[in-house]
Amino acid sequence: MSEQTIKQNHEDELVAKQSTTSLLSSLRLPDTYSVSGGTALPLKAIYGKLNKHRFCRIHPGGGYKFRCLVVDDKDRGETYLATPNMISHLDNLAVPKTIRLAVDSTGTPKLIGEPDIDPSSRANLWHSSLKYGIERGETTWVRIQANMSAGQYEIIESANDLGEPRWPNQSMEELINDAFSGRIIDSSDHPFIRQIQGRV
């Protein structure tokens, strides 16, 4: 095979690679693509625990911290927010927490409850380790998972830089309204209060 033929074959391979790269670039779908061909609307945040298999970030802004009373109905798997004037009906079932905004590495938003730490009460490793994990998540990607044998949460920081988090555009009020629609306890006639008082 002549030197000219080898050179020509090399040039043909380069052209083919460039064509393939160009073709692949044209095939890539944008992040906002949906099956219907329209633009994907923002995902609604839900309230709950962080996914132990996904790295997440916690929004550090004060506008995305909402301190309120949280009521967990563990029998029905429901969580409510309660107005402060309902504390006399709920007693210790209503727990003060700070609702925080988190997003995982796919951009899926979630609202989580950051526990209050009472320095005068007995130390609670579950609460203190979760609070620490949330604080770390303000500046770095973390996974938070329960370590039952240690009686606390285990915090794992990402080995690689996962980039900047994709925060939703909604305000905290809008996110909470969506997540807790129909689950606000603001009356003594609320079904949950009627249930715990035996008035059902």
Side-chain angles (χ1 to χ4, degrees), residues 9-189:
N9 288 343
H10 180 65
E11 289 176 353
D12 290 344
E13 287 177 5
L14 287 177
V15 170
K17 284 182 180 178
Q18 289 172 353
S19 298
T20 302
T21 301
S22 177
L23 177 61
L24 289 175
S25 296
S26 69
L27 291 172
R28 186 182 298 276
L29 291 173
D31 292 338
T32 56
Y33 178 84
S34 69
V35 176
S36 63
T39 299
L41 296 175
L43 294 172
K44 289 188 177 183
I46 59 171
Y47 178 84
K49 292 183 178 181
L50 293 171
N51 187 327
K52 65 182 179 181
H53 301 297
R54 290 184 182 273
F55 285 97
C56 70
R57 288 286 297 275
I58 314 298
H59 202 296
Y64 286 88
K65 298 176 182 180
F66 189 89
R67 191 164 181 263
C68 58
L69 293 174
V70 177
V71 180
D72 285 318
D73 182 355
K74 294 183 179 179
D75 289 339
R76 297 186 179 182
E78 292 278 4
T79 300
Y80 302 92
L81 300 187
T83 55
N85 62 324
M86 291 293 104
I87 192 68
S88 60
H89 300 286
L90 295 164
D91 197 28
N92 61 355
L93 293 176
V95 179
K97 292 184 180 181
T98 300
I99 307 298
R100 303 291 302 270
L101 170 63
V103 292
D104 65 22
S105 52
T106 68
T108 302
K110 179 169 267 190
L111 298 178
I112 61 171
E114 179 179 356
D116 275 14
I117 302 295
D118 184 355
S120 64
S121 64
R122 183 167 170 252
N124 185 319
L125 278 178
W126 290 109
H127 287 177
S128 59
S129 58
L130 176 58
K131 194 173 182 70
Y132 175 70
I134 289 172
E135 289 173 357
R136 293 296 302 155
E138 292 182 354
T139 56
T140 189
W141 290 94
V142 296
R143 281 196 304 109
I144 300 176
Q145 62 184 25
N147 185 325
M148 302 306 291
S149 60
Q152 61 188 287
Y153 286 101
E154 190 174 1
I155 318 302
I156 299 98
E157 295 187 0
S158 173
N160 298 321
D161 182 6
L162 300 180
E164 288 301 311
R166 289 181 286 166
W167 303 113
N169 294 323
Q170 300 100 308
S171 68
M172 191 59 159
E173 287 74 17
E174 290 171 322
L175 292 167
I176 289 175
N177 277 334
D178 284 341
F180 288 96
S181 177
R183 291 188 288 137
I184 305 291
I185 300 175
D186 59 358
S187 165
S188 59
D189 281 329

